[in-house]
Each structure stands twice: as structure tokens, then as C-alpha cells.
Amino acid sequence: MIKVLIADDQDLVRIGLRALVESEEDLSLVGEAADGLAAVAVARRERPDVILMDVRMPGVDGIEATRRIVADPELAGTRVIVLTTFELDEYVFDALRHGASGFLTKDTRPAELLRAIRLVAEGEALLSPSVTRRVVREFATRPSRVPRPHPRLGALTDREREVVGLVGEGLSNEEIAERLVVSPATARTHVSRAMVKLAARDRAQLVVFAYQSGLVQS
């Protein structure tokens, strides 16, 4: 059973999401919240597998709530899916940077939302690298943004840095293997080690780190 928490300040949105979650036999709604502070409190009490998190909420917004949840070691198994009205929204970039496993627009079809919940619950990144890249590049490469290399970047080997850059370009493990002329298993190992060293929760966050650290040529 996948435990789901819904955090959104709009009653109608919560009602719709609640009905969708409760219609599925393998999903269990464990709580609702109308603001980020409540979302963090319910998450710590119920320890959901997946949180559907609106970003624009009063008081503590979804970005700060995501940051607090990701930083809590007791919630290491909780994944956050950000809900947003606009796909290319700077809130999305900040949410990914703070550890969200991906994002969905609020006009996402019900079947796609259910698939996303199950995918993230299994520990996968919701977004394909190419979709993540498009959102991240939109904001990370703006002249107003100063590059901020990841503090653990120095722990990566040269090959791992190269692999992180390729992840940032939107390449799959198979495509990375082909580019570097190595086996897919070797490519997966490099990606996994880089994620561990950079404390990236999933591939989506690894793309953010690649851009922030200047490992992707814009």
C-alpha cells in the first residue's frame, strides 16, 4: 500500500485529488494539509511514501516545506511531487533543487498522476532527464543566476563528473554507455556513485546539480 499525503490550499483541488487517490486499491490517503507547515507536521506524523505538494501556499510554501521534509532523516523514504500551474515556473526549479522528485502540472490527466505516484514510490525520478533539463536550463543558465558548484563536487572522479554532465544533457544510462563506449552496467554504476557522493535523492536532482556546477555546456 502506497501512503499519500495531499498538500494544497485549494479545497476543490484537495477534494479532487482525494477522490482519485481513494479510488485506487493500492493507494492510501494518510492526510491532507492546506499549507506547508501543516504538510511538514502531517508528514512527520504519518510518514507518507509520496506527497503531492502545491508550491504556492500561504505561510510556509511548498518549496520550504519540501526542503524541510527532504532534510529530515526520519523522512528519507518520503518523495515529493510538486504540483504547479505552469510547467516553466521558477518555483519548479527551486523545488527540484531542494529535493523534489519531479513535478506535474495541475492539468495532468488522472491516469498520468496515478502512474507518477507509483513511479516515485518505487524510488524513481518522475521526470525524464530531457524534461528536467528543459526546466532547469530555463533558469539555471540565466545571466542573473550565479553558478554555485555543489560543495561535494570535488569528491567526484573525472569520469563521474563527465557522467553527471551527460545526465544533465538528458542522456539515459544506455546513451551514456554508448557515448563513453562502456557497458550500460558501468554507466549505471557511475551514475549511482555520483548520486551517493552528491547526496542526490534521484536523477532529477542530479540534473540540477549538473547545471549549477557548470558541468553542462549551455
Side-chain angles (χ1 to χ4, degrees), residues 150-172:
H150 193 284
R152 301 183 185 178
L153 192 64
L156 300 182
T157 65
D158 289 342
R159 176 48 63 92
E160 288 165 352
R161 290 168 67 101
E162 185 177 12
V163 166
V164 172
L166 295 176
V167 171
E169 288 184 24
L171 273 63
S172 66

Side-chain angles (χ1 to χ4, degrees), residues 11-22:
D11 292 343
L12 285 177
V13 172
R14 291 201 311 276
I15 290 171
L17 292 174
R18 179 199 309 153
L20 184 62
V21 169
E22 292 182 336

Side-chain angles (χ1 to χ4, degrees), residues 30-94:
V30 296
E32 297 181 27
D35 60 67
L37 191 61
V40 175
V42 176
R44 287 173 174 163
R45 184 177 71 244
E46 301 295 340
R47 301 192 182 183
D49 300 302
V50 178
I51 301 175
L52 300 177
M53 181 80 76
D54 185 23
V55 290
R56 302 185 184 187
M57 294 185 288
V60 173
D61 63 18
I63 305 300
E64 175 60 19
T66 296
R67 187 193 68 76
R68 295 184 188 185
I69 289 167
V70 170
D72 190 334
E74 295 189 356
L75 295 176
T78 297
R79 296 292 181 267
V80 178
I81 297 176
V82 169
L83 300 178
T84 180
T85 304
F86 302 104
E87 187 174 275
L88 291 180
D89 187 332
E90 186 155 7
Y91 283 95
V92 171
F93 171 74
D94 287 336

Side-chain angles (χ1 to χ4, degrees), residues 67-210:
R67 187 193 68 76
R68 295 184 188 185
I69 289 167
V70 170
D72 190 334
E74 295 189 356
L75 295 176
T78 297
R79 296 292 181 267
V80 178
I81 297 176
V82 169
L83 300 178
T84 180
T85 304
F86 302 104
E87 187 174 275
L88 291 180
D89 187 332
E90 186 155 7
Y91 283 95
V92 171
F93 171 74
D94 287 336
L96 293 172
R97 182 167 60 86
H98 284 300
S101 293
F103 75 93
L104 293 172
T105 55
K106 290 189 175 181
D107 60 358
T108 297
R109 294 179 179 178
E112 294 177 359
L113 176 60
L114 292 172
R115 175 182 175 276
I117 291 172
R118 294 179 177 114
L119 186 68
V120 169
E122 293 173 357
E124 299 294 328
L126 169 60
L127 303 177
S128 67
S130 59
V131 173
T132 311
R133 179 188 180 215
R134 181 161 54 86
V135 175
V136 173
R137 182 171 57 180
E138 174 72 16
F139 300 103
T141 60
R142 284 182 176 181
S144 59
R145 281 193 176 273
V146 178
R148 291 182 297 175
H150 193 284
R152 301 183 185 178
L153 192 64
L156 300 182
T157 65
D158 289 342
R159 176 48 63 92
E160 288 165 352
R161 290 168 67 101
E162 185 177 12
V163 166
V164 172
L166 295 176
V167 171
E169 288 184 24
L171 273 63
S172 66
N173 288 343
E174 289 71 22
E175 291 168 332
I176 291 173
E178 184 177 351
R179 177 80 66 87
L180 299 180
V181 194
V182 298
S183 70
T186 298
R188 284 194 297 273
T189 298
H190 286 313
V191 171
S192 297
R193 288 177 177 171
M195 289 179 65
V196 170
K197 290 181 180 180
L198 297 177
R201 287 166 66 91
D202 53 39
R203 201 179 184 97
Q205 199 175 27
L206 199 62
V207 175
V208 175
F209 292 159

